[in-house]
Amino acid sequence: MSRIVFMATRTDAPTRREQILREAARLFAERGFHGVGVDEIGAAVGISGPGLYRHFAGKDAMLAELLVGISGQLLTGGRRRVAEAEGGAEGLLDSLIEGHIDFALDDRPLITLHDRELDRLRDSDRKLVRQLQRQYVELWVEVVREVYPELTEPAARSAVHSVFGLLNSTPHLGRPGALPGRAGTAELLHRMARGAFGAAAVTPGA
Amino acid sequence: MSRIVFMATRTDAPTRREQILREAARLFAERGFHGVGVDEIGAAVGISGPGLYRHFAGKDAMLAELLVGISGQLLTGGRRRVAEAEGGAEGLLDSLIEGHIDFALDDRPLITLHDRELDRLRDSDRKLVRQLQRQYVELWVEVVREVYPELTEPAARSAVHSVFGLLNSTPHLGRPGALPGRAGTAELLHRMARGAFGAAAVTPGA
DNA sequence: TCGACCAGTTAATGAGCGTTAACGTAACTC
DNA sequence: GAGTTACGTTAACGCTCATTAACTGGTCGA
């Protein structure tokens, strides 16, 4: 199910650091970075506030590691799919969409954080995250333009951002368990994303 | 250009309250509710922190008025379009999309606040905002299902939420002035929204 | 068994910040 | 022209909260 930052699916128990990151992500997503106290994060993993400082330099460091981890994970996953692509660009685009949807559905709190708390980072961290995000976008833009050559580059970039907005809407979709279920939701999102790209490509420059 | 909360386009000068609300919206959107101090909001309108308390009961009250105003404005606009609809459901859906895009493009800070700071509200205010949001969604769902009868109600609701995610992606689109310009962006978003709905309607239940 | 280190604890510190108090001043009313 | 209201100001208060200090118990290699 839910992958932890920085690693793929595993079976061994999560480390304390990972526990903390997971709970912090959940709490930050629920009430915002400033809305959550360190005592609360500590309590969520069974230790008390200052105990966290054995594992992280500070509250900021947790957020930074989360956001850098998310961006890196998205980019890495995207690159892997590009490298492993077998069919043409069509299949690759579907693969990218599928990967992004999996992420959006399995790690909703991280998706929420991703575009909500970026400004709370130190300059250097924020720059790094933005750079990773940019690379991820550019990766998509290339594939999208291969599938839809009519699209100008700015239009393709806008379209990609908008489709991200569409796919990242999962936190607003009724809590998990609601119809039409995970598989159905994934498929619906996938079709909508393709439909949006296809419509964007009709009459390119406007 | 940018409409102020609670009123349509006007020519007379904005009141102090309105100045404050506009600047507060911008600042909240930039750095988050907790990330902005009252002194900063005051400075943005040329008075100093505590001076704000002549106009608002507190910082919370500003956020509440903003969020209630946004939701109300969206709902009111949507209802007006429904009431004024002349052609069939097709044209009405286009009208709704157009209205939402105008809002998303002209009041980006408000769009950002709208789904970012809802949890910072008092219970009663949050309930009110959610109720307004729900009514707005339901209004869309009805129209969408009229245009695409193949869609089940849950699917239509998910689709509407996702399209909102798409349309509300404007804050992520390069700062205003970037290609393809406001008109082009609006048209691109419109086409993508229709494309997404159309694709959602193919193979309904999955 | 003896350090050394890891992972906690509680108590103290200190900054930031929303809010209130106390006070000043123009403008407008009666 | 005295009183009231609208709109500010600066100074002080008090709370929240991240961070640090000081201290403690367990584990483990030599």
Side-chain angles (χ1 to χ4, degrees):
Chain A
M1 296 303 179
S2 62
R3 294 179 241 80
I4 306 283
V5 184
F6 280 140
M7 59 211 56
T9 313
R10 309 176 321 179
T11 60
D12 54 329
T15 78
R16 193 34 41 116
R17 272 182 72 89
E18 290 164 357
Q19 283 182 45
I20 295 171
L21 284 177
R22 173 192 256 105
E23 294 305 311
R26 185 178 54 80
L27 290 168
F28 288 161
E30 276 173 13
R31 293 204 287 291
F33 179 67
H34 290 292
V36 155
V38 289
D39 290 350
E40 216 167 345
I41 302 173
V45 298
I47 70 181
S48 223
L52 297 171
Y53 286 73
R54 294 287 167 199
H55 304 276
F56 293 93
K59 200 182 157 194
D60 298 352
M62 300 180 208
L63 182 65
E65 188 158 331
L66 280 172
L67 290 183
V68 173
I70 300 161
S71 317
Q73 198 178 330
L74 279 173
L75 179 57
T76 302
R79 281 184 173 154
R80 181 169 42 73
R81 289 184 133 84
V82 169
E84 293 172 354
E86 301 199 341
E90 288 271 350
L92 175 52
L93 180 54
D94 282 325
S95 172
L96 286 179
I97 293 173
E98 184 188 321
H100 197 103
I101 289 176
D102 283 345
F103 185 79
L105 285 175
D106 293 334
D107 294 296
R108 298 191 189 197
L110 298 186
I111 280 289
T112 302
L113 282 188
H114 190 243
D115 62 14
R116 196 173 284 200
E117 307 284 359
L118 184 57
D119 323 330
R120 274 52 142 188
L121 258 47
R122 299 202 337 266
D123 271 22
S124 62
D125 289 322
R126 188 170 51 246
K127 267 185 191 162
L128 172 56
V129 171
R130 276 209 220 275
Q131 184 186 329
L132 293 168
Q133 288 181 343
R134 192 162 28 239
Q135 292 180 75
Y136 185 60
V137 170
E138 292 312 314
L139 186 151
W140 275 65
V141 167
E142 279 186 37
V143 177
V144 166
R145 291 198 70 197
E146 207 166 334
V147 177
Y148 304 100
E150 319 88 290
L151 282 175
T152 67
E153 195 188 309
R157 202 183 328 276
S158 292
V160 166
H161 279 292
S162 299
V163 166
F164 285 169
L166 187 155
L167 298 179
N168 293 350
S169 67
T170 50
H172 301 294
L173 272 37
R175 294 303 149 225
L179 300 174
R182 190 204 134 111
T185 302
E187 204 231 320
L188 177 66
L189 288 173
H190 197 129
R191 267 184 289 127
M192 291 181 76
R194 284 306 297 252
F197 277 133
V202 178
T203 313
Chain B
M1 298 303 177
S2 62
R3 294 179 242 78
I4 307 283
V5 183
F6 280 138
M7 61 210 55
T9 312
R10 309 176 321 178
T11 60
D12 53 329
T15 78
R16 196 25 57 106
R17 272 182 72 88
E18 290 164 357
Q19 282 182 47
I20 294 172
L21 284 177
R22 172 191 256 108
E23 294 304 310
R26 186 178 55 80
L27 290 167
F28 289 161
E30 278 172 14
R31 292 204 286 292
F33 180 67
H34 290 293
V36 169
V38 289
D39 289 351
E40 217 167 344
I41 303 173
V45 298
I47 70 181
S48 224
L52 297 171
Y53 286 73
R54 295 287 169 197
H55 305 276
F56 293 93
K59 201 182 156 193
D60 298 352
M62 299 180 210
L63 182 64
E65 188 158 331
L66 280 172
L67 290 183
V68 173
I70 300 161
S71 317
Q73 198 178 331
L74 279 172
L75 180 56
T76 302
R79 281 184 173 154
R80 181 169 43 74
R81 290 184 133 84
V82 170
E84 293 173 354
E86 302 200 340
E90 287 271 349
L92 175 52
L93 180 54
D94 281 326
S95 172
L96 286 179
I97 293 173
E98 183 188 321
H100 196 102
I101 289 176
D102 283 345
F103 184 78
L105 285 176
D106 293 335
D107 294 296
R108 297 190 191 198
L110 298 185
I111 280 290
T112 301
L113 282 189
H114 190 242
D115 61 15
R116 196 173 285 200
E117 308 285 358
L118 184 57
D119 322 330
R120 274 52 145 190
L121 257 47
R122 300 202 335 268
D123 271 22
S124 61
D125 289 322
R126 187 170 51 247
K127 266 184 191 162
L128 172 55
V129 171
R130 276 209 220 274
Q131 185 186 329
L132 293 168
Q133 287 181 343
R134 191 162 28 239
Q135 292 181 75
Y136 185 60
V137 170
E138 293 311 315
L139 185 152
W140 275 66
V141 167
E142 280 187 38
V143 177
V144 166
R145 292 197 70 199
E146 206 166 335
V147 177
Y148 304 100
E150 318 88 289
L151 281 174
T152 67
E153 195 188 309
R157 204 184 326 279
S158 293
V160 167
H161 278 293
S162 299
V163 166
F164 285 170
L166 187 154
L167 298 180
N168 292 350
S169 67
T170 51
H172 301 294
L173 272 35
R175 294 303 149 225
L179 301 174
R182 189 204 135 114
T185 301
E187 205 231 319
L188 177 66
L189 288 172
H190 198 129
R191 267 184 287 129
M192 292 181 75
R194 284 306 297 253
F197 278 132
V202 177
T203 313

